Amino acid sequence: GKKTGAPENRNKAKTQDGVALEIQPLKSQEGVENEEKEKKKVKVPKKEKSVLQGKLTRLAVQIGKAGLIMSAITVIILVLYFVIDTFGVQGRPWLAECTPIYIQYFVKFFIIGVTVLVVAVPEGLPLAVTISLAYSVKKMMKDNNLVRHLDACETMGTATAICSDKTGTLTMNRMTVVQAYVGDTHYRQIPDPEAILPKILDLIVNGVAINSAYTSKILPPEKEGGLPRQVGNKTECALLGFVLDLKQDYQAVRNEVPEEKLYKVYTFNSVRKSMSTVLKNGNGGFRMYSKGASEIILRKCTRILDKNGDPRVFKVKDRDEMVKKVIEPMACHGLRTICLAFRDFPGDAEPDWDSENEILSDLTCIAVVGIEDPVRPEVPDAILKCQRAGITVRMVTGDNINTARAIATKCGILLPGEDFLCLEGKEFNRLIRNEKGEVEQEQLDKIWPKLRVLARSSPTDKHTLVKGIIDSTVGDQRQVVAVTGDGTNDGPALKKADVGFAMVWMGGTDVAKEASDIILTDDNFTSIVKAVMWGRNVYDSISKFLQFQLTVNVVAVIVAFTGACITQDSPLKAVQMLWVNLIMDTFASLALATEPPSESLLLRKPYGRNKPLISRTMMKNILGHAVYQLTIIFTLLFAGEKFFDIDSGRNAPLHSPPTEHYTIVFNTFVMMQLFNEINARKIHGERNVFESIYRNPIFCTVVLGTFAAQIIIVEFGGKPFSCSGLTLSQWFWCIFIGVGELLWGQLICTVPTSHLKFLKEAGHGITKEEIPEEELPEDVDEIDHAEMELRRGQILWFRGLNRIQTQIKVVNAFRSSLYEGLEKPESRSSIHNFMTHPEFILEEDEPRTPFLDGAEDDPETDGLKKRGGGSLGGSTSLNRNNNAVDSDQAEVTVPEPESPLHSLETSV
């Protein structure tokens, strides 16, 4: 239950989760008023949590109503026709001895009406949705998507924007140093160890090996010929790899200087953006090694090592020149720049290590390195697919804007010649906030459509961007946003997004996992694209099922209705229609809802939130196939006996045996449904209905299984199924007419949908405009009643718990007042025995244990001990301050040893 309910409802639930706010008297007026308020607040308009469920529910209700009307009319017409024909036209009197026969006729008419209703009501829709979602979720696990909320799978089908992190998602998260600036020389490749002076090399090795987490290390490759394994922080691993490339051994330095010898460590955090480690020298002085973001560390450097390894003065203009000539070119190649520095402290007086600003100043720069995190090779293609599919990809990263721009260009997020925006977090906030620091939606609406890269951004910036895109009214449809995140601070953005992806491969936090809808187990952007495919596939699967089911619905209802009105009997008998209902509901939902997705799903724009389930193309298919089937059925019904040279089954007596005529009608009808099920695999006007049919073994099994079951029913069903065995030629004719469905489907495809202006769409979602304003709370998104009931349950549970606590305190107060005049433990024990059970005695010499709320102690439970057995809980001295009794408590209950209250006390 994430984006559910109005904000005030969510906040209310949070405040009422706390025990402290729930302490209320049993029958206080305030409590009654609060309960009434809660009841009023809960009375909100019922909107389905899932957009698809909302559309389907509405469509099912509409179809159900139509079916109910048709079935009622069928029964009324059958009864009236029978009564008028029997007693009016034929002029027969109502004979008492014939009453049972008349009743049997009326029961038969009623059964026909109920059968029409059963066939008309699409009870298979919820089943199809459940099967499709469950099947998709299971298969998505193989694509590294662990779905936590079922509706997230479907929502991804409508996604229009993806806000993605950079590191690990778009890039490989395998950092390597590829450039370095050492001793006034900019090396475009890893320098030769001979080219660097030994004393500079020594500083680099010590600065990297000591000033990094000792858990970060480079291990040999798992497979021969593979890349070395990076364990720990990836940036530190890149620096350690740089040391190894310089033919040096960092582990030897670490063995010489174990962690216990480190004098002081300033760990890395998002504020300082650097890490520093202090060592004590043998002469009593100190040396500090620092590393961090180049722009941060260089500001604190006053000297730099020259080509001879000697420190020279490093002025502001030197720094600006270095930024322009070294750092910016590195960043423009998509490299992350890290500066290594050191500082020596004299041994005469120990510095004040707490004054961090003074300590982290007057540094000497050793080197600047450029670290590359290569783009995943499959990402550019995946982003191109997203753009073709009408999904905008935005990169939100904490990196330098030049690095971010370079990576975005490599990925294809930024395209040459396009008017797209790249902003830093500070600039982004300056543009969208007013003088008071509040976000203005109008300003944000001017920026987000063109924004593609947000660099040096904080988690707050990510949340602001996501909320702004979702709340925006720019464009015809509301944007559906997917977001990736791995940190605790990403929780709000993941929660606010329509679909939140938590990344766990790099060590995502539990907060991110709990706030997310889908967990990415490989942190790969291509997995998100696969989630989009599966989401769209859910929509298509439901639409395929609807196309098939509504065709059967229309034909079965019209045949039953028309046949009953003309021939006084339904051509399809009750059991036969229930078999047809089983085919089109249960089996079809299983067959069509398990279609695997294909790449073609990404060649069209996303379905809008209000886009109807049944498009005009689908309506053309439904009506086109219905016309074919009705023509065949009515031809067989009224002229079939002449064509096959058999006896007519029309106007048969009440309990007459099954006829070949009506069996052929039933068999042909089922064969047409089976072949139309193959047609239903395509809903966008595609001609090749057999494409990839072998990829769905469930579909093939269902179709072949249904065909086999139909043979058994026709040949051996007999009277229960109202079937008579058919000859081989009659079977071939039935199958031939069924195959005609495939040919007729090709004919329907040739008719352009644009020429059929009369066709209407169906299955729209419920829009906000359709809900009366007075019923719609402010800022309501989607209301999940199950979640609200859960909240109410928690509130009631806490209330009950607090009332029990209050009663326990009252018991304690009474007991302590009774004990006040008593001195001997035996006498206390006797009173205690009187109140509980003779087997228990009080002990006073055990340590005290706190009560549930940490404020009161419970002497009864803590003091109980079985003779000869273990203690049930630590005993306490008697609480003599528990004398305040709530006047509203009507009665005091003393817990029996085996009572729920006693067990609650004991467990606490």
Side-chain angles (χ1 to χ4, degrees):
K2 68 189 223 11
K3 305 155 276 291
T4 55
E8 62 268 23
N9 290 343
R10 293 201 293 269
N11 295 336
K12 179 172 83 63
K14 284 174 188 170
T15 57
Q16 288 176 326
D17 275 355
V19 173
L21 296 180
E22 289 301 318
I23 299 175
Q24 290 181 0
L26 276 169
K27 296 178 182 177
S28 70
Q29 189 59 36
E30 187 186 347
V32 174
E33 287 173 5
N34 281 358
E35 282 183 11
E36 285 176 3
K37 283 179 189 172
E38 283 165 19
K39 283 176 185 172
K40 284 177 186 172
K41 283 194 176 182
V42 171
K43 286 178 184 173
V44 288
K46 183 171 182 180
K47 289 177 70 187
E48 298 295 330
K49 180 182 176 184
S50 153
V51 177
L52 182 59
Q53 288 283 12
K55 291 177 181 177
L56 287 172
T57 303
R58 200 175 190 206
L59 185 64
V61 168
Q62 291 170 347
I63 296 170
K65 285 178 180 174
L68 185 62
I69 292 166
M70 287 294 283
S71 64
I73 293 172
T74 305
V75 173
I76 291 166
I77 290 177
L78 283 170
V79 171
L80 288 176
Y81 191 101
F82 175 75
V83 170
I84 293 168
D85 183 57
T86 305
F87 304 114
V89 177
Q90 297 179 25
R92 293 180 183 176
W94 182 291
L95 300 172
E97 58 268 23
C98 295
T99 302
I101 295 169
Y102 299 149
I103 291 172
Q104 283 183 33
Y105 270 106
F106 292 142
V107 168
K108 178 186 171 185
F109 300 152
F110 180 73
I111 289 172
I112 291 170
V114 170
T115 310
V116 170
L117 178 62
V118 168
V119 172
V121 173
E123 69 273 16
L125 272 181
L127 180 65
V129 177
T130 307
I131 289 174
S132 185
L133 287 173
Y135 177 79
S136 300
V137 166
K138 186 182 174 186
K139 291 292 184 183
M140 283 171 77
M141 272 294 293
K142 293 180 181 175
D143 290 334
N144 302 304
N145 286 286
L146 175 60
V147 181
R148 295 183 66 246
H149 300 136
L150 265 182
D151 64 308
C153 173
E154 154 210 328
T155 307
M156 276 309 293
T158 61
T160 57
I162 298 173
C163 295
S164 173
D165 287 354
K166 177 182 78 70
T167 306
T169 308
L170 300 175
T171 59
M172 293 175 71
N173 196 31
R174 185 179 176 84
M175 311 277 191
T176 47
V177 174
V178 292
Q179 292 188 28
Y181 180 83
V182 185
D184 289 343
T185 309
H186 186 176
Y187 297 95
R188 306 285 173 178
Q189 295 175 334
I190 299 292
D192 193 301
E194 306 289 329
I196 300 174
L197 291 173
K199 58 181 177 180
I200 297 180
L201 197 58
D202 200 41
L203 283 169
I204 291 173
V205 174
N206 285 330
V208 171
I210 294 168
N211 186 34
S212 59
Y214 278 32
T215 51
S216 298
K217 55 187 79 170
I218 306 288
L219 298 178
E222 287 179 336
K223 294 178 182 176
E224 197 174 335
L227 292 169
R229 285 180 292 150
Q230 296 184 342
V231 178
N233 183 284
K234 300 299 180 182
T235 306
E236 290 180 346
C237 286
L239 294 171
L240 293 172
F242 178 53
V243 170
L244 294 176
D245 289 340
L246 293 174
K247 307 290 188 286
Q248 304 297 309
D249 183 12
Y250 69 86
Q251 195 57 49
V253 178
R254 286 182 172 179
N255 294 338
E256 193 180 320
V257 186
E259 282 187 277
E260 298 80 47
K261 285 193 178 181
L262 303 181
Y263 192 80
K264 176 78 176 174
V265 177
Y266 297 93
T267 55
F268 180 89
N269 63 35
S270 57
V271 177
R272 33 172 103 101
K273 291 194 182 297
S274 66
M275 177 183 177
S276 303
T277 303
V278 181
L279 290 176
K280 193 166 187 175
N281 298 332
N283 59 3
F286 300 92
R287 170 166 284 186
M288 180 180 73
Y289 292 104
S290 292
K291 72 169 188 293
S294 54
E295 59 263 42
I296 305 288
I297 297 292
L298 284 177
R299 270 194 228 116
K300 296 173 180 178
C301 288
T302 54
R303 285 177 291 279
I304 187 170
L305 297 180
D306 61 15
K307 59 186 174 182
N308 299 318
D310 301 318
R312 62 175 169 81
V313 177
F314 188 60
K315 296 178 182 175
V316 175
K317 65 172 186 177
D318 296 330
R319 186 179 73 217
D320 292 343
E321 187 179 349
M322 188 171 175
V323 167
K324 197 177 292 180
K325 291 187 176 178
V326 177
I327 291 171
E328 282 188 2
M330 282 186 182
C332 289
H333 284 93
L335 306 184
R336 177 185 287 179
T337 54
I338 300 289
C339 180
L340 303 174
F342 77 101
R343 179 182 177 181
D344 286 323
F345 296 92
D348 49 1
E350 186 167 340
D352 179 11
W353 301 113
D354 292 332
S355 60
E356 197 175 315
N357 288 336
E358 290 180 21
I359 299 295
L360 296 178
S361 62
D362 197 24
L363 303 177
T364 302
C365 175
I366 304 169
V368 174
V369 295
I371 297 175
E372 181 184 48
D373 185 9
V375 172
R376 288 179 184 267
E378 66 272 20
V379 161
D381 188 42
I383 286 176
L384 184 63
K385 285 178 185 173
C386 281
Q387 289 165 345
R388 275 202 216 113
I391 300 169
T392 305
V393 182
R394 294 178 175 84
M395 181 201 288
V396 183
T397 178
D399 267 353
N400 177 300
I401 191 163
N402 291 320
T403 306
R405 188 185 284 117
I407 296 291
T409 306
K410 287 180 183 177
C411 291
I413 293 172
L414 291 176
L415 301 171
E418 296 283 354
D419 185 22
F420 291 145
L421 283 176
C422 293
L423 294 177
E424 281 191 333
K426 285 182 182 176
E427 179 69 9
F428 173 69
N429 280 297
R430 189 184 66 77
L431 291 170
I432 65 168
R433 295 183 187 273
N434 57 21
E435 298 79 23
K436 297 177 184 176
E438 298 165 342
V439 176
E440 289 193 347
Q441 187 65 43
E442 287 181 19
Q443 298 299 322
L444 191 53
D445 285 346
K446 294 176 184 175
I447 291 171
W448 73 258
K450 289 189 175 182
L451 183 67
R452 291 295 179 273
V453 176
L454 188 58
R456 287 279 183 244
S457 66
S458 66
T460 311
D461 297 336
K462 185 191 277 191
H463 178 263
T464 304
L465 176 64
V466 172
K467 185 177 184 300
I469 295 174
I470 289 174
D471 294 346
S472 176
T473 52
V474 175
D476 301 332
Q477 297 281 348
R478 169 168 107 60
Q479 293 283 307
V480 179
V481 184
V483 172
T484 65
D486 58 356
T488 301
N489 294 338
D490 289 329
L494 290 170
K495 200 81 172 166
K496 179 63 185 172
D498 293 290
V499 181
F501 285 89
M503 301 183 295
V504 297
W505 192 61
M506 288 197 317
T509 62
D510 287 342
V511 173
K513 292 175 196 172
E514 287 299 317
S516 68
D517 301 294
I518 298 175
I519 295 174
L520 283 183
T521 53
D522 67 342
D523 296 358
N524 195 333
F525 187 81
T526 52
S527 299
I528 301 174
V529 179
K530 286 174 184 171
V532 172
M533 278 173 59
W534 278 107
R536 293 188 174 191
N537 191 57
V538 168
Y539 263 80
D540 277 12
S541 296
I542 302 305
S543 296
K544 289 170 187 176
F545 172 69
L546 274 173
Q547 178 174 300
F548 173 69
Q549 192 190 38
L550 291 183
T551 307
V552 187
N553 261 12
V554 168
V555 175
V557 171
I558 291 176
V559 166
F561 174 74
T562 312
C565 295
I566 296 174
T567 66
Q568 271 293 285
D569 189 11
S570 173
L572 299 172
K573 308 300 181 210
V575 178
Q576 293 174 351
M577 285 180 76
L578 291 175
W579 166 240
V580 169
N581 195 49
L582 190 67
I583 294 172
M584 74 178 191
D585 269 359
T586 313
F587 294 161
S589 61
L590 195 61
L592 294 169
T594 54
E595 285 277 328
S598 63
E599 291 286 336
S600 61
L601 290 166
L602 296 175
L603 297 176
R604 56 172 174 76
K605 301 298 179 196
Y607 284 141
R609 289 172 73 87
N610 297 322
K611 183 177 172 62
L613 281 169
I614 302 170
S615 63
R616 292 178 68 220
T617 304
M618 287 170 62
M619 193 64 82
K620 175 186 77 174
N621 293 340
I622 291 167
L623 296 179
H625 287 291
V627 166
Y628 174 82
Q629 292 182 18
L630 287 170
T631 306
I632 295 292
I633 293 293
F634 285 131
T635 303
L636 289 175
L637 183 60
F638 296 110
E641 72 275 17
K642 296 172 186 171
F643 181 81
F644 288 103
D645 192 22
I646 51 177
D647 295 330
S648 173
R650 295 190 304 278
N651 302 317
L654 189 62
H655 295 296
S656 58
T659 61
E660 282 184 314
H661 183 196
Y662 272 23
T663 304
I664 289 171
V665 171
F666 164 60
N667 198 31
T668 306
F669 180 71
V670 172
M671 288 300 118
M672 288 193 292
Q673 304 321 319
L674 277 181
F675 286 98
N676 191 35
E677 198 165 346
I678 298 171
N679 277 327
R681 294 184 68 246
K682 303 296 177 186
I683 54 172
H684 298 295
E686 302 95 328
R687 284 191 175 276
N688 186 4
V689 293
F690 290 99
E691 184 187 0
S692 304
I693 196 169
Y694 59 87
R695 287 180 60 209
N696 188 1
I698 296 176
F699 181 89
C700 300
T701 305
V702 166
V703 171
L704 294 174
T706 308
F707 182 70
Q710 179 65 16
I711 294 172
I712 294 167
I713 286 171
V714 170
E715 294 302 320
F716 308 105
K719 193 152 187 180
F721 281 91
S722 304
C723 288
S724 172
L726 301 179
T727 63
L728 198 59
S729 65
Q730 289 168 343
W731 264 105
F732 277 123
W733 273 110
C734 293
I735 293 170
F736 174 73
I737 293 169
V739 172
E741 267 286 356
L742 297 174
L743 303 173
W744 184 256
Q746 296 301 308
L747 192 64
I748 291 172
C749 285
T750 58
V751 180
T753 310
S754 54
H755 291 181
L756 305 172
K757 303 288 185 187
F758 62 88
L759 291 177
K760 301 290 181 188
E761 297 168 326
H764 294 267
I766 299 173
T767 58
K768 275 192 177 182
E769 291 75 23
E770 294 176 53
I771 302 170
E773 282 185 21
E774 65 273 9
E775 290 184 11
L776 190 65
E778 290 181 19
D779 303 327
V780 65
D781 287 339
E782 289 161 357
I783 292 154
D784 183 8
H785 291 271
E787 174 73 9
M788 298 185 80
E789 285 302 316
L790 180 64
R791 287 287 185 193
R792 284 181 60 77
Q794 289 174 339
I795 291 162
L796 291 171
W797 192 88
F798 279 121
R799 258 192 205 145
L801 183 63
N802 274 279
R803 285 168 183 169
I804 291 171
Q805 278 185 287
T806 310
Q807 289 174 345
I808 292 171
K809 290 173 188 175
V810 172
V811 173
N812 292 342
F814 270 94
R815 191 178 303 133
S816 59
S817 62
L818 281 168
Y819 291 157
E820 274 180 0
L822 302 172
E823 295 176 3
K824 294 181 181 178
E826 290 79 17
S827 61
R828 294 186 186 181
S829 177
S830 63
I831 290 173
H832 193 265
N833 290 344
F834 168 75
M835 293 174 68
T836 55
H837 197 280
E839 281 186 15
F840 294 90
I841 62 168
L842 271 173
E843 303 259 327
E844 289 190 293
D845 301 324
E846 302 281 335
R848 299 182 63 179
T849 53
F851 190 60
L852 185 64
D853 57 2
E856 300 287 356
D857 298 313
D858 177 17
E860 180 183 10
T861 51
D862 297 335
L864 295 181
K865 192 172 185 181
K866 274 196 176 181
R867 288 177 203 254
S871 172
L872 290 174
S875 65
T876 73
S877 58
L878 293 166
N879 188 348
R880 299 175 185 276
N881 300 321
N882 248 346
N883 297 323
V885 181
D886 194 331
S887 59
D888 286 333
Q889 298 295 336
E891 71 182 71
V892 176
T893 57
V894 180
E896 291 296 325
E898 299 302 321
S899 69
L901 182 56
H902 185 275
S903 62
L904 171 69
E905 289 184 45
T906 306
S907 64
V908 168

